[in-house]
Amino acid sequence: MSEFPTYEELLARPFFFCGIGGSGMLPLAQILKGRGATVAGSDRSNDQGRTPEKFAALEKQGFALHPQDGSGLVSPDQILVASAAVEDTVPEVVRANKLGCLRMSRAELLSILFNTSGAGIAIGGTSGKSTVTGMLGWIMHATSNDPTIMNGAVMKNFVTEDRPFASAIVGGPGAFVSEVDESDGSIALYRPAVGILLNVSLDHKSMEELRVLFGDYLARSGVAVINADDAEALALLPRAKEAITFGIDQDKAQIGITRGSIADGPIRQAATVIDRHDGSEHPLILNLPGRHNLSNALAAISGAVAAGVPVGKAVAALASFAGLARRFDIIGTSENGVTVIDDFGHNPEKCAATLRTLKTHEGRVIAFFQPHGYGPLRQMGHELAETFARELGPDDITIMCDPVYFGGTVDRSVGSERIVELIEDAGGLADHVPSREDCGKLIASIAKPGDRIVVMGARDDTLTKFAGELLAKL
């Protein structure tokens, strides 16, 4: 990190974000601007007229937006913030190289802000990071800890008319709550005071790589918070200097659930949290369904405890947690009783958690899935197919359109049709319809009263609009 400016030097220089509307870029841009930096940016989605409401909100907040043609870079003092995946042929990169601008990745910049905070609280793991970040951020806010929060999803508790895309909160100089990403290896940049590990499962990297990344992450954390129900996560416990464990099933977990206390409904649940340090019990009300969200709540509570918040106060705060956009987000129910749900599920574990939650209650499931790229399909296509075939019943159906593609030179030889074949080979019912619009027409034509339609996928904010349009068709 030595080649980069210090925190004070960073804030004194203007920033330009390439892809400022992205789920990882937007909150970071908001935090920098909230701390007094000058921030401008460009986004291909803005040029293409996608999600205009998001970019209108950014302009209203004072961000200068430019076409993605390099015209926004005018000075060598500007710092270009761009994903490592952004190709050298992108106009901003070409222009920055000509000017001699410093280039930083999102993770490099975020890690400097995180590591120089008073107390960095990191949330790592293959699945559940955004939800736990939102939960823990809300706990810290509700208990007057004035946190800065960096999330990859919009946190409903913090949405206002002026800030409809509240994926970040700018707080004081102390607690900095942030999800940290293993998919690009950047988790290695962070030095957490509290490091939470939710789970370790196949996503963008091999299991061998993940074990090393997450093990090193725990070793760098002042206090590690580990999911004792996840065998892979628990196996890394010896790497921690000091640890708090949580779990629903593990009786030895320090923060757990009292046996027989779980009451689960279609849209909310209740349980009794036990602190095995002192045997105290605390009634939890959670306005989210699903066992995975109960586990997420335990993770957030345990992370708060590691940061000095009493268990009882953390549990009480979660009663008013409103959830995140695109995380089992119920868009609405039609007059004939068909419910549409918008969800970020895109890897095997996330998809399984969502489908399992749906299958705990009656009604057919129509699962629409838009893959978040061609590369991920090659990496985990077999596991995704197994997930849909295993979690859905004989009356349910998976409908897939082609992967989201915004341009570039990615290999597009393996597409959705291959995944549909694998689902059918495994005994599931699936259909590949290349166009998303045509998928919507098909779904509307087959939906029956009592069905639940779940719209799943990542890296495409227009999926929420698609879910709303689908509800209107029913």
Side-chain angles (χ1 to χ4, degrees), residues 347-353 355-356 359 382-394 396 398 422-423 426-429:
N347 66 27
E349 187 163 327
K350 287 183 173 74
C351 291
L355 297 175
R356 212 167 284 153
K359 293 304 293 179
H382 281 82
E383 290 79 9
L384 275 168
E386 288 171 6
T387 297
F388 282 95
R390 181 185 68 244
E391 300 297 339
L392 294 179
D396 305 322
T398 302
L422 291 170
I423 294 172
L429 183 60

Side-chain angles (χ1 to χ4, degrees), residues 239-367:
R239 298 293 311 277
K241 295 190 285 281
E242 180 182 345
I244 294 175
T245 56
F246 67 90
I248 299 170
D249 298 322
Q250 284 281 0
D251 289 338
K252 292 183 179 178
Q254 291 158 301
I255 306 293
I257 298 293
T258 302
R259 280 197 181 278
S261 70
I262 300 172
D264 186 19
I267 59 173
R268 63 178 58 88
Q269 59 190 308
T272 301
V273 174
I274 181 169
D275 178 0
R276 293 193 174 97
H277 293 104
D278 60 11
S280 61
E281 296 187 348
H282 310 270
L284 169 70
I285 296 171
L286 191 62
N287 293 306
L288 294 171
R291 184 183 176 87
H292 63 294
N293 278 321
L294 184 57
S295 179
N296 288 338
L298 289 180
I301 293 162
S302 302
V305 169
V309 177
V311 174
K313 288 189 175 182
V315 172
L318 283 180
S320 54
F321 178 66
L324 307 181
R326 301 218 64 233
R327 272 41 172 203
F328 209 91
D329 196 355
I330 298 173
I331 300 298
T333 300
S334 67
E335 289 183 6
N336 65 341
V338 180
T339 299
V340 178
I341 297 155
D342 188 23
D343 190 77
F344 190 67
H346 62 280
N347 66 27
E349 187 163 327
K350 287 183 173 74
C351 291
T354 296
L355 297 175
R356 212 167 284 153
T357 300
L358 287 165
K359 293 304 293 179
T360 56
H361 303 284
E362 290 186 5
R364 182 176 68 157
V365 173
I366 300 174

Side-chain angles (χ1 to χ4, degrees), residues 75-100:
S75 165
D77 288 337
Q78 286 174 284
I79 297 173
L80 175 65
V81 184
S83 162
V86 171
E87 297 165 332
D88 290 340
T89 54
V90 171
E92 270 76 5
V93 179
V94 173
R95 180 68 176 155
N97 288 336
K98 284 183 179 177
L99 288 170

Side-chain angles (χ1 to χ4, degrees), residues 91-443:
E92 270 76 5
V93 179
V94 173
R95 180 68 176 155
N97 288 336
K98 284 183 179 177
L99 288 170
C101 297
L102 174 65
R103 175 176 173 175
M104 300 181 74
S105 70
R106 182 193 73 87
E108 288 165 343
L109 179 54
L110 174 59
S111 67
I112 292 174
L113 300 180
F114 181 92
N115 292 335
T116 55
S117 68
I121 306 172
I123 296 89
T126 320
S127 299
K129 293 188 290 292
S130 295
T131 298
V132 175
T133 300
M135 288 177 169
L136 181 49
W138 178 245
I139 290 171
M140 300 300 285
H141 174 83
T143 54
S144 303
N145 282 283
D146 194 22
T148 293
I149 310 169
M150 166 78 190
N151 205 334
V154 172
M155 299 174 284
K156 293 182 180 179
N157 285 94
F158 297 107
V159 168
T160 64
E161 188 174 340
D162 291 336
R163 288 185 174 270
F165 296 91
S167 52
I169 292 297
V170 182
F176 194 120
V177 181
S178 178
E179 56 179 300
V180 294
D181 193 6
E182 82 292 339
S183 67
D184 58 359
S186 63
I187 191 172
L189 299 173
Y190 300 89
R191 300 189 300 275
V194 177
I196 300 172
L197 180 56
L198 304 174
N199 39 59
V200 183
S201 64
L202 186 69
D203 194 342
H204 298 276
K205 291 188 177 294
S206 69
M207 290 301 293
E208 291 73 19
E209 291 174 293
L210 290 173
R211 290 173 188 129
V212 172
L213 281 170
F214 285 128
D216 291 348
Y217 160 71
L218 293 180
R220 287 192 309 277
S221 300
V223 180
V225 176
I226 299 172
N227 182 0
D229 288 338
D230 186 274
E232 287 282 353
L234 188 59
L236 298 175
L237 178 62
R239 298 293 311 277
K241 295 190 285 281
E242 180 182 345
I244 294 175
T245 56
F246 67 90
I248 299 170
D249 298 322
Q250 284 281 0
D251 289 338
K252 292 183 179 178
Q254 291 158 301
I255 306 293
I257 298 293
T258 302
R259 280 197 181 278
S261 70
I262 300 172
D264 186 19
I267 59 173
R268 63 178 58 88
Q269 59 190 308
T272 301
V273 174
I274 181 169
D275 178 0
R276 293 193 174 97
H277 293 104
D278 60 11
S280 61
E281 296 187 348
H282 310 270
L284 169 70
I285 296 171
L286 191 62
N287 293 306
L288 294 171
R291 184 183 176 87
H292 63 294
N293 278 321
L294 184 57
S295 179
N296 288 338
L298 289 180
I301 293 162
S302 302
V305 169
V309 177
V311 174
K313 288 189 175 182
V315 172
L318 283 180
S320 54
F321 178 66
L324 307 181
R326 301 218 64 233
R327 272 41 172 203
F328 209 91
D329 196 355
I330 298 173
I331 300 298
T333 300
S334 67
E335 289 183 6
N336 65 341
V338 180
T339 299
V340 178
I341 297 155
D342 188 23
D343 190 77
F344 190 67
H346 62 280
N347 66 27
E349 187 163 327
K350 287 183 173 74
C351 291
T354 296
L355 297 175
R356 212 167 284 153
T357 300
L358 287 165
K359 293 304 293 179
T360 56
H361 303 284
E362 290 186 5
R364 182 176 68 157
V365 173
I366 300 174
F368 167 79
F369 183 65
Q370 176 180 279
H372 61 293
Y374 287 88
L377 277 189
R378 287 193 300 277
Q379 172 75 18
M380 52 182 162
H382 281 82
E383 290 79 9
L384 275 168
E386 288 171 6
T387 297
F388 282 95
R390 181 185 68 244
E391 300 297 339
L392 294 179
D395 296 329
D396 305 322
I397 184 170
T398 302
I399 297 173
M400 293 180 67
C401 67
D402 287 339
V404 65
Y405 174 67
F406 296 126
T409 58
V410 65
D411 176 6
R412 291 188 279 165
S413 59
V414 178
S416 300
E417 63 277 6
R418 176 62 182 146
I419 312 306
V420 166
E421 289 174 8
L422 291 170
I423 294 172
E424 291 176 331
D425 290 346
L429 183 60
D431 198 358
H432 168 236
V433 180
S435 157
R436 190 172 80 181
E437 183 182 356
D438 289 340
C439 285
K441 293 175 183 175
L442 173 61
I443 292 169

